[in-house]
Amino acid sequence: MELVVQFQVLNQSCQCLAWKPCPVVAWGAESQHVVAGYSDGTIRVFSVSRTEMELKMHPHAVAVTAVAYSTDGEMILSGSKDGLVAVSSPRTGMTIRILADHKGSPITVLQCTRKQYHDFGVEGGELWLTTSSDRRVSVWASDWLKNKCELLDWLSFPAPDSPKGLDILPPSLAAFCPWEPGTLVYVGFGMQKEALFYSLRKKQVVEKISLPYFATALSLSPAARFMAVGFGERLLRLLRCPASDPQDYAGHDDTVHLCRFAPSGRCLLTASHSAVLVWELTG
């Protein structure tokens, strides 16, 4: 539990980051890269093993709010405060595509998953989703080597006109469900406080899980049917899916704004204003 490496960028705030996916071979020092998005619209790639910045790109005119690697690590997807999504190559440093479908609303989530085109009748070896703060989610099928990118689905979630008792709207968050292929989970400000499971094949919501408050953080375990949800009420809820008796945990000093399962599923990391907690899942 000690600080190993630290990267500092002066006069800019880091808004988001993502690890480069591990190659199929054993984890090696050469694969330890992280990409970070900054308030000036730049993204930077850092080598952890060499403790240096390898690449700086400037695909956005405003702050970068979400960033993700493609599943093979060959492309970087970044989303900005103005709703634009850029696809950039870390090999060449060039931005090869700009998507304006969410223009006007900050991007809150970008996530990629490996899927074959025949799963949904479209061409591409990868699915990815982007979510914006206006409660819209788009799902895409891509083959970056062939420069192909096709819109697979577009979701819009309704919400009341005038939120009562909410000074700041909770974020719109979505994630692919690891244990239900072709399904994504969505939480956000809406008509009800709930998590929605949406099937890309059936084009409909197939399950709803009630929540005590509007969610501020979401993570799905890659190793078991567990979902972690954070709330502005300093609460963390752990759910086994299908919905069972939830387990609630206190301990945060403020809004739980981040939760992430480890790839093994045995640990859960959560963060609030001035605290980072690591939870161990037992049994």
Side-chain angles (χ1 to χ4, degrees), residues 173 175 187 215-222 226-231 235-239 252 255-262 267-272 275-279:
L173 304 172
V187 295
T216 53
L218 172 72
S219 184
L220 282 73
S221 170
F226 277 111
M227 179 169 69
V229 186
F231 302 101
L235 186 72
L236 173 70
R237 171 164 286 193
L238 190 64
L239 287 152
H252 284 281
T255 297
V256 182
H257 63 77
L258 180 82
C259 52
R260 288 285 186 276
F261 280 100
C267 289
L268 174 69
L269 181 144
T270 60
S272 58
V276 177
L277 305 183
V278 180
W279 308 79

PDB file of all heavy atoms in Angstrom, residues 173 175 187 215-222 226-231 235-239 252 255-262 267-272 275-279:
ATOM      1  N   LEU A 173     -25.531   6.748 -16.280  1.00  0.00           N
ATOM      2  CA  LEU A 173     -24.466   5.746 -16.326  1.00  0.00           C
ATOM      3  C   LEU A 173     -24.984   4.473 -16.971  1.00  0.00           C
ATOM      4  O   LEU A 173     -26.116   4.056 -16.723  1.00  0.00           O
ATOM      5  CB  LEU A 173     -23.966   5.441 -14.907  1.00  0.00           C
ATOM      6  CG  LEU A 173     -23.476   6.630 -14.075  1.00  0.00           C
ATOM      7  CD1 LEU A 173     -23.209   6.209 -12.645  1.00  0.00           C
ATOM      8  CD2 LEU A 173     -22.233   7.244 -14.700  1.00  0.00           C
ATOM      9  N   ALA A 175     -23.546   0.363 -18.528  1.00  0.00           N
ATOM     10  CA  ALA A 175     -22.452  -0.612 -18.627  1.00  0.00           C
ATOM     11  C   ALA A 175     -22.971  -1.886 -19.264  1.00  0.00           C
ATOM     12  O   ALA A 175     -24.122  -2.283 -19.034  1.00  0.00           O
ATOM     13  CB  ALA A 175     -21.872  -0.913 -17.243  1.00  0.00           C
ATOM     14  N   VAL A 187     -28.485   3.338 -15.153  1.00  0.00           N
ATOM     15  CA  VAL A 187     -29.005   4.065 -14.001  1.00  0.00           C
ATOM     16  C   VAL A 187     -28.890   5.555 -14.291  1.00  0.00           C
ATOM     17  O   VAL A 187     -27.996   5.991 -15.021  1.00  0.00           O
ATOM     18  CB  VAL A 187     -28.256   3.730 -12.687  1.00  0.00           C
ATOM     19  CG1 VAL A 187     -28.470   2.284 -12.285  1.00  0.00           C
ATOM     20  CG2 VAL A 187     -26.770   4.051 -12.799  1.00  0.00           C
ATOM     21  N   ALA A 215     -28.848   6.681  -8.365  1.00  0.00           N
ATOM     22  CA  ALA A 215     -27.461   6.216  -8.297  1.00  0.00           C
ATOM     23  C   ALA A 215     -26.487   7.305  -8.749  1.00  0.00           C
ATOM     24  O   ALA A 215     -26.791   8.113  -9.635  1.00  0.00           O
ATOM     25  CB  ALA A 215     -27.287   4.973  -9.163  1.00  0.00           C
ATOM     26  N   THR A 216     -25.305   7.309  -8.146  1.00  0.00           N
ATOM     27  CA  THR A 216     -24.226   8.208  -8.549  1.00  0.00           C
ATOM     28  C   THR A 216     -22.996   7.454  -9.050  1.00  0.00           C
ATOM     29  O   THR A 216     -22.061   8.054  -9.570  1.00  0.00           O
ATOM     30  CB  THR A 216     -23.810   9.114  -7.372  1.00  0.00           C
ATOM     31  OG1 THR A 216     -23.511   8.293  -6.234  1.00  0.00           O
ATOM     32  CG2 THR A 216     -24.932  10.081  -7.010  1.00  0.00           C
ATOM     33  N   ALA A 217     -22.982   6.123  -8.879  1.00  0.00           N
ATOM     34  CA  ALA A 217     -21.867   5.297  -9.352  1.00  0.00           C
ATOM     35  C   ALA A 217     -22.381   3.890  -9.619  1.00  0.00           C
ATOM     36  O   ALA A 217     -23.332   3.436  -8.972  1.00  0.00           O
ATOM     37  CB  ALA A 217     -20.738   5.259  -8.320  1.00  0.00           C
ATOM     38  N   LEU A 218     -21.754   3.200 -10.569  1.00  0.00           N
ATOM     39  CA  LEU A 218     -22.211   1.867 -10.973  1.00  0.00           C
ATOM     40  C   LEU A 218     -21.023   1.026 -11.411  1.00  0.00           C
ATOM     41  O   LEU A 218     -20.138   1.506 -12.118  1.00  0.00           O
ATOM     42  CB  LEU A 218     -23.213   1.986 -12.133  1.00  0.00           C
ATOM     43  CG  LEU A 218     -23.664   0.698 -12.813  1.00  0.00           C
ATOM     44  CD1 LEU A 218     -24.600  -0.093 -11.896  1.00  0.00           C
ATOM     45  CD2 LEU A 218     -24.364   0.997 -14.146  1.00  0.00           C
ATOM     46  N   SER A 219     -21.004  -0.240 -10.987  1.00  0.00           N
ATOM     47  CA  SER A 219     -20.014  -1.191 -11.481  1.00  0.00           C
ATOM     48  C   SER A 219     -20.600  -2.592 -11.444  1.00  0.00           C
ATOM     49  O   SER A 219     -21.320  -2.945 -10.505  1.00  0.00           O
ATOM     50  CB  SER A 219     -18.736  -1.141 -10.640  1.00  0.00           C
ATOM     51  OG  SER A 219     -17.741  -1.997 -11.192  1.00  0.00           O
ATOM     52  N   LEU A 220     -20.302  -3.389 -12.475  1.00  0.00           N
ATOM     53  CA  LEU A 220     -20.765  -4.775 -12.551  1.00  0.00           C
ATOM     54  C   LEU A 220     -19.557  -5.695 -12.498  1.00  0.00           C
ATOM     55  O   LEU A 220     -18.578  -5.477 -13.217  1.00  0.00           O
ATOM     56  CB  LEU A 220     -21.563  -5.021 -13.832  1.00  0.00           C
ATOM     57  CG  LEU A 220     -23.008  -4.514 -13.835  1.00  0.00           C
ATOM     58  CD1 LEU A 220     -23.059  -2.996 -13.950  1.00  0.00           C
ATOM     59  CD2 LEU A 220     -23.808  -5.137 -14.969  1.00  0.00           C
ATOM     60  N   SER A 221     -19.625  -6.708 -11.649  1.00  0.00           N
ATOM     61  CA  SER A 221     -18.491  -7.609 -11.478  1.00  0.00           C
ATOM     62  C   SER A 221     -18.277  -8.453 -12.737  1.00  0.00           C
ATOM     63  O   SER A 221     -19.227  -9.034 -13.266  1.00  0.00           O
ATOM     64  CB  SER A 221     -18.731  -8.534 -10.278  1.00  0.00           C
ATOM     65  OG  SER A 221     -17.744  -9.557 -10.247  1.00  0.00           O
ATOM     66  N   PRO A 222     -17.023  -8.561 -13.206  1.00  0.00           N
ATOM     67  CA  PRO A 222     -16.737  -9.408 -14.369  1.00  0.00           C
ATOM     68  C   PRO A 222     -16.653 -10.887 -14.011  1.00  0.00           C
ATOM     69  O   PRO A 222     -16.532 -11.728 -14.901  1.00  0.00           O
ATOM     70  CB  PRO A 222     -15.380  -8.887 -14.845  1.00  0.00           C
ATOM     71  CG  PRO A 222     -14.734  -8.362 -13.610  1.00  0.00           C
ATOM     72  CD  PRO A 222     -15.834  -7.831 -12.739  1.00  0.00           C
ATOM     73  N   PHE A 226     -22.694  -9.855  -9.510  1.00  0.00           N
ATOM     74  CA  PHE A 226     -22.779  -8.811  -8.504  1.00  0.00           C
ATOM     75  C   PHE A 226     -22.782  -7.436  -9.164  1.00  0.00           C
ATOM     76  O   PHE A 226     -22.060  -7.198 -10.131  1.00  0.00           O
ATOM     77  CB  PHE A 226     -21.599  -8.887  -7.520  1.00  0.00           C
ATOM     78  CG  PHE A 226     -21.803  -9.877  -6.412  1.00  0.00           C
ATOM     79  CD1 PHE A 226     -21.044 -11.037  -6.352  1.00  0.00           C
ATOM     80  CD2 PHE A 226     -22.749  -9.652  -5.423  1.00  0.00           C
ATOM     81  CE1 PHE A 226     -21.215 -11.954  -5.321  1.00  0.00           C
ATOM     82  CE2 PHE A 226     -22.935 -10.554  -4.388  1.00  0.00           C
ATOM     83  CZ  PHE A 226     -22.164 -11.712  -4.339  1.00  0.00           C
ATOM     84  N   MET A 227     -23.591  -6.559  -8.603  1.00  0.00           N
ATOM     85  CA  MET A 227     -23.645  -5.176  -9.055  1.00  0.00           C
ATOM     86  C   MET A 227     -23.441  -4.265  -7.847  1.00  0.00           C
ATOM     87  O   MET A 227     -24.063  -4.458  -6.799  1.00  0.00           O
ATOM     88  CB  MET A 227     -24.996  -4.889  -9.716  1.00  0.00           C
ATOM     89  CG  MET A 227     -25.168  -3.459 -10.195  1.00  0.00           C
ATOM     90  SD  MET A 227     -26.633  -3.238 -11.243  1.00  0.00           S
ATOM     91  CE  MET A 227     -27.942  -3.464 -10.032  1.00  0.00           C
ATOM     92  N   ALA A 228     -22.547  -3.285  -7.979  1.00  0.00           N
ATOM     93  CA  ALA A 228     -22.311  -2.303  -6.926  1.00  0.00           C
ATOM     94  C   ALA A 228     -22.867  -0.962  -7.381  1.00  0.00           C
ATOM     95  O   ALA A 228     -22.639  -0.535  -8.519  1.00  0.00           O
ATOM     96  CB  ALA A 228     -20.817  -2.188  -6.624  1.00  0.00           C
ATOM     97  N   VAL A 229     -23.611  -0.307  -6.480  1.00  0.00           N
ATOM     98  CA  VAL A 229     -24.221   0.980  -6.794  1.00  0.00           C
ATOM     99  C   VAL A 229     -23.900   1.957  -5.670  1.00  0.00           C
ATOM    100  O   VAL A 229     -24.055   1.625  -4.491  1.00  0.00           O
ATOM    101  CB  VAL A 229     -25.750   0.864  -6.959  1.00  0.00           C
ATOM    102  CG1 VAL A 229     -26.337   2.190  -7.442  1.00  0.00           C
ATOM    103  CG2 VAL A 229     -26.123  -0.254  -7.923  1.00  0.00           C
ATOM    104  N   GLY A 230     -23.415   3.143  -6.027  1.00  0.00           N
ATOM    105  CA  GLY A 230     -23.135   4.185  -5.052  1.00  0.00           C
ATOM    106  C   GLY A 230     -24.198   5.261  -5.100  1.00  0.00           C
ATOM    107  O   GLY A 230     -24.842   5.486  -6.134  1.00  0.00           O
ATOM    108  N   PHE A 231     -24.377   5.958  -3.968  1.00  0.00           N
ATOM    109  CA  PHE A 231     -25.424   6.974  -3.867  1.00  0.00           C
ATOM    110  C   PHE A 231     -24.877   8.257  -3.255  1.00  0.00           C
ATOM    111  O   PHE A 231     -23.844   8.257  -2.561  1.00  0.00           O
ATOM    112  CB  PHE A 231     -26.581   6.461  -3.008  1.00  0.00           C
ATOM    113  CG  PHE A 231     -27.204   5.187  -3.509  1.00  0.00           C
ATOM    114  CD1 PHE A 231     -26.879   3.965  -2.921  1.00  0.00           C
ATOM    115  CD2 PHE A 231     -28.098   5.200  -4.565  1.00  0.00           C
ATOM    116  CE1 PHE A 231     -27.448   2.790  -3.385  1.00  0.00           C
ATOM    117  CE2 PHE A 231     -28.666   4.026  -5.034  1.00  0.00           C
ATOM    118  CZ  PHE A 231     -28.336   2.816  -4.441  1.00  0.00           C
ATOM    119  N   LEU A 235     -23.843   6.107   0.715  1.00  0.00           N
ATOM    120  CA  LEU A 235     -24.193   4.693   0.864  1.00  0.00           C
ATOM    121  C   LEU A 235     -23.681   3.896  -0.331  1.00  0.00           C
ATOM    122  O   LEU A 235     -23.694   4.378  -1.466  1.00  0.00           O
ATOM    123  CB  LEU A 235     -25.718   4.543   0.970  1.00  0.00           C
ATOM    124  CG  LEU A 235     -26.271   3.153   1.274  1.00  0.00           C
ATOM    125  CD1 LEU A 235     -25.981   2.783   2.734  1.00  0.00           C
ATOM    126  CD2 LEU A 235     -27.776   3.115   1.020  1.00  0.00           C
ATOM    127  N   LEU A 236     -23.226   2.681  -0.062  1.00  0.00           N
ATOM    128  CA  LEU A 236     -22.846   1.729  -1.100  1.00  0.00           C
ATOM    129  C   LEU A 236     -23.758   0.517  -0.986  1.00  0.00           C
ATOM    130  O   LEU A 236     -23.946  -0.028   0.100  1.00  0.00           O
ATOM    131  CB  LEU A 236     -21.386   1.285  -0.930  1.00  0.00           C
ATOM    132  CG  LEU A 236     -20.911   0.159  -1.852  1.00  0.00           C
ATOM    133  CD1 LEU A 236     -20.809   0.643  -3.291  1.00  0.00           C
ATOM    134  CD2 LEU A 236     -19.566  -0.392  -1.384  1.00  0.00           C
ATOM    135  N   ARG A 237     -24.356   0.100  -2.095  1.00  0.00           N
ATOM    136  CA  ARG A 237     -25.238  -1.076  -2.094  1.00  0.00           C
ATOM    137  C   ARG A 237     -24.637  -2.154  -2.989  1.00  0.00           C
ATOM    138  O   ARG A 237     -24.242  -1.889  -4.129  1.00  0.00           O
ATOM    139  CB  ARG A 237     -26.641  -0.703  -2.570  1.00  0.00           C
ATOM    140  CG  ARG A 237     -27.560  -1.916  -2.809  1.00  0.00           C
ATOM    141  CD  ARG A 237     -29.023  -1.541  -2.907  1.00  0.00           C
ATOM    142  NE  ARG A 237     -29.567  -1.200  -1.590  1.00  0.00           N
ATOM    143  CZ  ARG A 237     -30.873  -1.076  -1.339  1.00  0.00           C
ATOM    144  NH1 ARG A 237     -31.760  -1.270  -2.310  1.00  0.00           N
ATOM    145  NH2 ARG A 237     -31.298  -0.766  -0.135  1.00  0.00           N
ATOM    146  N   LEU A 238     -24.586  -3.368  -2.462  1.00  0.00           N
ATOM    147  CA  LEU A 238     -24.119  -4.530  -3.211  1.00  0.00           C
ATOM    148  C   LEU A 238     -25.316  -5.436  -3.485  1.00  0.00           C
ATOM    149  O   LEU A 238     -26.036  -5.817  -2.552  1.00  0.00           O
ATOM    150  CB  LEU A 238     -23.046  -5.284  -2.429  1.00  0.00           C
ATOM    151  CG  LEU A 238     -22.282  -6.380  -3.172  1.00  0.00           C
ATOM    152  CD1 LEU A 238     -21.469  -5.787  -4.324  1.00  0.00           C
ATOM    153  CD2 LEU A 238     -21.362  -7.147  -2.222  1.00  0.00           C
ATOM    154  N   LEU A 239     -25.527  -5.766  -4.764  1.00  0.00           N
ATOM    155  CA  LEU A 239     -26.682  -6.565  -5.173  1.00  0.00           C
ATOM    156  C   LEU A 239     -26.212  -7.808  -5.902  1.00  0.00           C
ATOM    157  O   LEU A 239     -25.326  -7.740  -6.766  1.00  0.00           O
ATOM    158  CB  LEU A 239     -27.581  -5.757  -6.112  1.00  0.00           C
ATOM    159  CG  LEU A 239     -28.420  -4.638  -5.511  1.00  0.00           C
ATOM    160  CD1 LEU A 239     -28.674  -3.570  -6.551  1.00  0.00           C
ATOM    161  CD2 LEU A 239     -29.735  -5.188  -4.984  1.00  0.00           C
ATOM    162  N   HIS A 252     -18.491   6.058   3.848  1.00  0.00           N
ATOM    163  CA  HIS A 252     -18.005   7.178   3.037  1.00  0.00           C
ATOM    164  C   HIS A 252     -18.357   8.505   3.692  1.00  0.00           C
ATOM    165  O   HIS A 252     -19.340   8.625   4.410  1.00  0.00           O
ATOM    166  CB  HIS A 252     -18.603   7.101   1.631  1.00  0.00           C
ATOM    167  CG  HIS A 252     -17.960   6.052   0.771  1.00  0.00           C
ATOM    168  ND1 HIS A 252     -16.754   6.239   0.139  1.00  0.00           N
ATOM    169  CD2 HIS A 252     -18.352   4.802   0.450  1.00  0.00           C
ATOM    170  CE1 HIS A 252     -16.428   5.149  -0.532  1.00  0.00           C
ATOM    171  NE2 HIS A 252     -17.386   4.253  -0.361  1.00  0.00           N
ATOM    172  N   THR A 255     -20.708  11.855  -1.191  1.00  0.00           N
ATOM    173  CA  THR A 255     -21.274  11.103  -2.312  1.00  0.00           C
ATOM    174  C   THR A 255     -20.296  10.041  -2.817  1.00  0.00           C
ATOM    175  O   THR A 255     -19.116  10.330  -3.038  1.00  0.00           O
ATOM    176  CB  THR A 255     -21.602  12.058  -3.473  1.00  0.00           C
ATOM    177  OG1 THR A 255     -22.605  12.975  -3.048  1.00  0.00           O
ATOM    178  CG2 THR A 255     -22.105  11.297  -4.694  1.00  0.00           C
ATOM    179  N   VAL A 256     -20.787   8.823  -2.985  1.00  0.00           N
ATOM    180  CA  VAL A 256     -19.976   7.767  -3.599  1.00  0.00           C
ATOM    181  C   VAL A 256     -20.008   8.004  -5.109  1.00  0.00           C
ATOM    182  O   VAL A 256     -21.003   7.710  -5.769  1.00  0.00           O
ATOM    183  CB  VAL A 256     -20.521   6.367  -3.249  1.00  0.00           C
ATOM    184  CG1 VAL A 256     -19.626   5.289  -3.854  1.00  0.00           C
ATOM    185  CG2 VAL A 256     -20.632   6.191  -1.745  1.00  0.00           C
ATOM    186  N   HIS A 257     -18.933   8.576  -5.651  1.00  0.00           N
ATOM    187  CA  HIS A 257     -18.953   8.975  -7.067  1.00  0.00           C
ATOM    188  C   HIS A 257     -18.219   7.987  -7.970  1.00  0.00           C
ATOM    189  O   HIS A 257     -18.208   8.155  -9.185  1.00  0.00           O
ATOM    190  CB  HIS A 257     -18.381  10.381  -7.244  1.00  0.00           C
ATOM    191  CG  HIS A 257     -16.948  10.532  -6.863  1.00  0.00           C
ATOM    192  ND1 HIS A 257     -15.924  10.099  -7.655  1.00  0.00           N
ATOM    193  CD2 HIS A 257     -16.361  11.068  -5.761  1.00  0.00           C
ATOM    194  CE1 HIS A 257     -14.773  10.359  -7.078  1.00  0.00           C
ATOM    195  NE2 HIS A 257     -14.998  10.941  -5.922  1.00  0.00           N
ATOM    196  N   LEU A 258     -17.628   6.939  -7.387  1.00  0.00           N
ATOM    197  CA  LEU A 258     -16.933   5.947  -8.211  1.00  0.00           C
ATOM    198  C   LEU A 258     -16.951   4.601  -7.514  1.00  0.00           C
ATOM    199  O   LEU A 258     -16.706   4.516  -6.302  1.00  0.00           O
ATOM    200  CB  LEU A 258     -15.477   6.371  -8.442  1.00  0.00           C
ATOM    201  CG  LEU A 258     -14.651   5.398  -9.310  1.00  0.00           C
ATOM    202  CD1 LEU A 258     -14.910   5.656 -10.780  1.00  0.00           C
ATOM    203  CD2 LEU A 258     -13.167   5.513  -9.012  1.00  0.00           C
ATOM    204  N   CYS A 259     -17.260   3.542  -8.240  1.00  0.00           N
ATOM    205  CA  CYS A 259     -17.035   2.179  -7.736  1.00  0.00           C
ATOM    206  C   CYS A 259     -16.577   1.312  -8.901  1.00  0.00           C
ATOM    207  O   CYS A 259     -17.062   1.438 -10.015  1.00  0.00           O
ATOM    208  CB  CYS A 259     -18.272   1.605  -7.037  1.00  0.00           C
ATOM    209  SG  CYS A 259     -19.813   1.670  -7.925  1.00  0.00           S
ATOM    210  N   ARG A 260     -15.589   0.449  -8.624  1.00  0.00           N
ATOM    211  CA  ARG A 260     -14.994  -0.399  -9.659  1.00  0.00           C
ATOM    212  C   ARG A 260     -14.648  -1.760  -9.073  1.00  0.00           C
ATOM    213  O   ARG A 260     -13.913  -1.844  -8.086  1.00  0.00           O
ATOM    214  CB  ARG A 260     -13.696   0.218 -10.211  1.00  0.00           C
ATOM    215  CG  ARG A 260     -13.880   1.428 -11.086  1.00  0.00           C
ATOM    216  CD  ARG A 260     -14.392   1.063 -12.471  1.00  0.00           C
ATOM    217  NE  ARG A 260     -14.422   2.242 -13.318  1.00  0.00           N
ATOM    218  CZ  ARG A 260     -15.407   3.119 -13.357  1.00  0.00           C
ATOM    219  NH1 ARG A 260     -16.447   2.966 -12.569  1.00  0.00           N
ATOM    220  NH2 ARG A 260     -15.358   4.158 -14.172  1.00  0.00           N
ATOM    221  N   PHE A 261     -15.152  -2.813  -9.683  1.00  0.00           N
ATOM    222  CA  PHE A 261     -14.719  -4.156  -9.325  1.00  0.00           C
ATOM    223  C   PHE A 261     -13.345  -4.421  -9.936  1.00  0.00           C
ATOM    224  O   PHE A 261     -13.052  -3.987 -11.054  1.00  0.00           O
ATOM    225  CB  PHE A 261     -15.700  -5.204  -9.855  1.00  0.00           C
ATOM    226  CG  PHE A 261     -16.926  -5.384  -9.015  1.00  0.00           C
ATOM    227  CD1 PHE A 261     -18.120  -4.776  -9.369  1.00  0.00           C
ATOM    228  CD2 PHE A 261     -16.899  -6.169  -7.868  1.00  0.00           C
ATOM    229  CE1 PHE A 261     -19.264  -4.938  -8.598  1.00  0.00           C
ATOM    230  CE2 PHE A 261     -18.031  -6.342  -7.088  1.00  0.00           C
ATOM    231  CZ  PHE A 261     -19.214  -5.722  -7.451  1.00  0.00           C
ATOM    232  N   ALA A 262     -12.510  -5.149  -9.201  1.00  0.00           N
ATOM    233  CA  ALA A 262     -11.252  -5.634  -9.764  1.00  0.00           C
ATOM    234  C   ALA A 262     -11.567  -6.699 -10.817  1.00  0.00           C
ATOM    235  O   ALA A 262     -12.625  -7.332 -10.766  1.00  0.00           O
ATOM    236  CB  ALA A 262     -10.378  -6.219  -8.662  1.00  0.00           C
ATOM    237  N   CYS A 267     -12.270  -7.952  -5.234  1.00  0.00           N
ATOM    238  CA  CYS A 267     -12.163  -6.666  -4.544  1.00  0.00           C
ATOM    239  C   CYS A 267     -13.036  -5.627  -5.243  1.00  0.00           C
ATOM    240  O   CYS A 267     -13.284  -5.708  -6.451  1.00  0.00           O
ATOM    241  CB  CYS A 267     -10.722  -6.173  -4.507  1.00  0.00           C
ATOM    242  SG  CYS A 267      -9.643  -7.098  -3.414  1.00  0.00           S
ATOM    243  N   LEU A 268     -13.473  -4.655  -4.469  1.00  0.00           N
ATOM    244  CA  LEU A 268     -14.253  -3.542  -4.983  1.00  0.00           C
ATOM    245  C   LEU A 268     -13.637  -2.257  -4.459  1.00  0.00           C
ATOM    246  O   LEU A 268     -13.401  -2.125  -3.257  1.00  0.00           O
ATOM    247  CB  LEU A 268     -15.715  -3.663  -4.534  1.00  0.00           C
ATOM    248  CG  LEU A 268     -16.635  -2.492  -4.866  1.00  0.00           C
ATOM    249  CD1 LEU A 268     -16.879  -2.404  -6.373  1.00  0.00           C
ATOM    250  CD2 LEU A 268     -17.974  -2.638  -4.135  1.00  0.00           C
ATOM    251  N   LEU A 269     -13.361  -1.316  -5.365  1.00  0.00           N
ATOM    252  CA  LEU A 269     -12.811  -0.026  -4.972  1.00  0.00           C
ATOM    253  C   LEU A 269     -13.898   1.024  -5.102  1.00  0.00           C
ATOM    254  O   LEU A 269     -14.601   1.088  -6.117  1.00  0.00           O
ATOM    255  CB  LEU A 269     -11.625   0.326  -5.859  1.00  0.00           C
ATOM    256  CG  LEU A 269     -10.895   1.639  -5.570  1.00  0.00           C
ATOM    257  CD1 LEU A 269      -9.412   1.466  -5.805  1.00  0.00           C
ATOM    258  CD2 LEU A 269     -11.427   2.784  -6.425  1.00  0.00           C
ATOM    259  N   THR A 270     -14.073   1.841  -4.054  1.00  0.00           N
ATOM    260  CA  THR A 270     -15.056   2.915  -4.092  1.00  0.00           C
ATOM    261  C   THR A 270     -14.390   4.211  -3.652  1.00  0.00           C
ATOM    262  O   THR A 270     -13.433   4.202  -2.875  1.00  0.00           O
ATOM    263  CB  THR A 270     -16.268   2.612  -3.185  1.00  0.00           C
ATOM    264  OG1 THR A 270     -15.816   2.457  -1.824  1.00  0.00           O
ATOM    265  CG2 THR A 270     -16.965   1.332  -3.617  1.00  0.00           C
ATOM    266  N   ALA A 271     -14.912   5.330  -4.160  1.00  0.00           N
ATOM    267  CA  ALA A 271     -14.305   6.624  -3.843  1.00  0.00           C
ATOM    268  C   ALA A 271     -15.379   7.665  -3.593  1.00  0.00           C
ATOM    269  O   ALA A 271     -16.436   7.662  -4.231  1.00  0.00           O
ATOM    270  CB  ALA A 271     -13.398   7.079  -4.981  1.00  0.00           C
ATOM    271  N   SER A 272     -15.088   8.555  -2.647  1.00  0.00           N
ATOM    272  CA  SER A 272     -15.920   9.731  -2.393  1.00  0.00           C
ATOM    273  C   SER A 272     -15.000  10.948  -2.363  1.00  0.00           C
ATOM    274  O   SER A 272     -13.868  10.882  -2.846  1.00  0.00           O
ATOM    275  CB  SER A 272     -16.699   9.569  -1.086  1.00  0.00           C
ATOM    276  OG  SER A 272     -15.821   9.360   0.008  1.00  0.00           O
ATOM    277  N   ALA A 275     -12.006  10.135   0.321  1.00  0.00           N
ATOM    278  CA  ALA A 275     -11.724   8.774   0.798  1.00  0.00           C
ATOM    279  C   ALA A 275     -11.785   7.778  -0.355  1.00  0.00           C
ATOM    280  O   ALA A 275     -12.663   7.856  -1.197  1.00  0.00           O
ATOM    281  CB  ALA A 275     -12.709   8.375   1.888  1.00  0.00           C
ATOM    282  N   VAL A 276     -10.828   6.862  -0.377  1.00  0.00           N
ATOM    283  CA  VAL A 276     -10.853   5.710  -1.277  1.00  0.00           C
ATOM    284  C   VAL A 276     -10.910   4.464  -0.401  1.00  0.00           C
ATOM    285  O   VAL A 276     -10.044   4.272   0.463  1.00  0.00           O
ATOM    286  CB  VAL A 276      -9.608   5.672  -2.184  1.00  0.00           C
ATOM    287  CG1 VAL A 276      -9.627   4.415  -3.046  1.00  0.00           C
ATOM    288  CG2 VAL A 276      -9.550   6.911  -3.064  1.00  0.00           C
ATOM    289  N   LEU A 277     -11.924   3.649  -0.600  1.00  0.00           N
ATOM    290  CA  LEU A 277     -12.092   2.443   0.195  1.00  0.00           C
ATOM    291  C   LEU A 277     -11.923   1.220  -0.689  1.00  0.00           C
ATOM    292  O   LEU A 277     -12.368   1.207  -1.839  1.00  0.00           O
ATOM    293  CB  LEU A 277     -13.474   2.401   0.870  1.00  0.00           C
ATOM    294  CG  LEU A 277     -13.864   3.597   1.742  1.00  0.00           C
ATOM    295  CD1 LEU A 277     -15.234   3.352   2.386  1.00  0.00           C
ATOM    296  CD2 LEU A 277     -12.831   3.878   2.810  1.00  0.00           C
ATOM    297  N   VAL A 278     -11.281   0.189  -0.156  1.00  0.00           N
ATOM    298  CA  VAL A 278     -11.140  -1.080  -0.853  1.00  0.00           C
ATOM    299  C   VAL A 278     -11.878  -2.147  -0.036  1.00  0.00           C
ATOM    300  O   VAL A 278     -11.590  -2.348   1.142  1.00  0.00           O
ATOM    301  CB  VAL A 278      -9.650  -1.474  -1.029  1.00  0.00           C
ATOM    302  CG1 VAL A 278      -9.550  -2.818  -1.755  1.00  0.00           C
ATOM    303  CG2 VAL A 278      -8.899  -0.400  -1.788  1.00  0.00           C
ATOM    304  N   TRP A 279     -12.845  -2.794  -0.693  1.00  0.00           N
ATOM    305  CA  TRP A 279     -13.673  -3.808  -0.042  1.00  0.00           C
ATOM    306  C   TRP A 279     -13.278  -5.185  -0.556  1.00  0.00           C
ATOM    307  O   TRP A 279     -12.999  -5.342  -1.748  1.00  0.00           O
ATOM    308  CB  TRP A 279     -15.153  -3.577  -0.370  1.00  0.00           C
ATOM    309  CG  TRP A 279     -15.646  -2.187  -0.115  1.00  0.00           C
ATOM    310  CD1 TRP A 279     -15.461  -1.083  -0.933  1.00  0.00           C
ATOM    311  CD2 TRP A 279     -16.401  -1.728   1.006  1.00  0.00           C
ATOM    312  NE1 TRP A 279     -16.070   0.021  -0.386  1.00  0.00           N
ATOM    313  CE2 TRP A 279     -16.652  -0.324   0.793  1.00  0.00           C
ATOM    314  CE3 TRP A 279     -16.899  -2.344   2.159  1.00  0.00           C
ATOM    315  CZ2 TRP A 279     -17.385   0.429   1.709  1.00  0.00           C
ATOM    316  CZ3 TRP A 279     -17.632  -1.574   3.057  1.00  0.00           C
ATOM    317  CH2 TRP A 279     -17.868  -0.202   2.834  1.00  0.00           C
TER     318      TRP A 279
END
